[in-house]
């Protein structure tokens, strides 16, 4: 790899890496649900400019935040997995340095816009996002937000790097909105960047 950045894992254990320096997305193939030092590495997308954020939805589709093209792309899964021949679709462009990206259980995609200091949502239709999907600002006022994650209840967690804090956008009824509360749940770090949520929250 060359300056690997975002990492995501699908339900089969395959690992996806935003290989920024090579302008590619790579897949480390799991065997029996596990990757090992001898696992095969596939390039599943090489048309990116500055891939940095990675996420996988429940159907195995891989989402990529490309900071240089200000866009979010989807690598489409077939039978729950992506391959080197999978289709890459531009979902939305016009973001301002999209960095972190996450997908909730309903297929909505959340994007941390580092330069704009906000979190946006690409709203899913029928469980998936499309080029025609609505984009809404969920919350602004962050300072260089980087990593982003969503838990099983729909709460969104943001590594607010410039404010040296981890923040939570609190879901109501399983979803966040522009009216959601924002809590600081961790502070005192230097520049928090990556963030993840386990099955226990």
């Amino acid at each position: 790899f060359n300056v690997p950045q975002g990492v995501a894992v699908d339900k089969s254990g395959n690992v996806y890496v935003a290989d920024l320096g090579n302008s590619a997305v790579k897949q480390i193939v799991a065997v029996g649900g596990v990757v090992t030092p001898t696992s095969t590495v596939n390039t599943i997308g090489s048309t990116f400019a500055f891939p940095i954020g990675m996420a996988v939805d429940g159907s195995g589709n891989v989402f990529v935040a490309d900071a240089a093209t200000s866009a979010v792309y989807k690598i489409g899964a077939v039978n729950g997995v992506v391959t080197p021949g999978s289709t890459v679709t531009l979902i939305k462009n016009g973001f301002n340095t999209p960095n972190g990206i996450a997908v909730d259980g309903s297929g909505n995609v959340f994007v941390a816009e580092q330069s704009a200091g906000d979190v946006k949502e690409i709203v899913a239709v029928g469980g998936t996002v499309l080029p025609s999907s609505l984009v809404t600002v969920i919350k602004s006022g962050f300072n260089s937000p980087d990593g982003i994650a969503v838990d099983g209840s729909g709460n969104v967690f943001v590594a607010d790097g410039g404010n040296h804090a981890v923040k939570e956008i609190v879901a109501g009824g399983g979803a966040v909105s522009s009216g959601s509360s924002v809590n600081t749940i961790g502070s005192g770090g230097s520049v928090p960047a990556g963030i993840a949520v386990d099955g226990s929250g």
Side-chain angles (χ1 to χ4, degrees):
F1 301 100
N2 186 355
V3 194
Q5 289 286 316
V7 176
V9 185
D10 69 15
K11 60 187 178 183
S12 298
N14 301 299
V15 177
Y16 301 90
V17 182
D19 192 3
L20 187 150
N22 286 318
S23 300
V25 170
K26 304 267 179 80
Q27 175 194 49
I28 308 173
V29 181
V31 176
V34 178
V35 297
T36 69
T38 59
S39 292
T40 300
V41 178
N42 293 327
T43 297
I44 61 167
S46 58
T47 58
F48 306 104
F50 207 83
I52 192 163
M54 299 288 303
V56 183
D57 70 11
S59 298
N61 301 299
V62 175
F63 294 89
V64 184
D66 192 319
T69 60
S70 303
V72 169
Y73 297 87
K74 178 174 78 171
I75 306 172
V78 177
N79 296 324
V81 68
V82 298
T83 68
S86 292
T87 301
V88 178
T89 303
L90 171 65
I91 295 297
K92 287 291 178 182
N93 56 16
F95 293 100
N96 194 346
T97 319
N99 203 332
I101 188 168
V103 187
D104 70 10
S106 299
N108 302 299
V109 174
F110 297 90
V111 181
E113 283 193 297
Q114 193 171 57
S115 295
D118 64 22
V119 170
K120 288 185 175 173
E121 177 186 12
I122 309 173
V123 181
V125 177
T128 188
V129 295
L130 305 166
S132 59
S133 292
L134 179 69
V135 178
T136 63
V137 177
I138 296 298
K139 284 293 176 181
S140 56
F142 300 102
N143 186 349
S144 296
D146 198 335
I148 187 169
V150 185
D151 70 11
S153 299
N155 303 297
V156 175
F157 299 88
V158 183
D160 193 8
N163 285 319
H164 318 295
V166 173
K167 295 187 178 173
E168 176 190 20
I169 307 173
V170 181
V176 295
S177 69
S178 59
S180 295
S181 299
V182 178
N183 296 329
T184 297
I185 60 169
S187 60
S190 179
V191 184
I195 190 165
V197 183
D198 72 9
S200 298

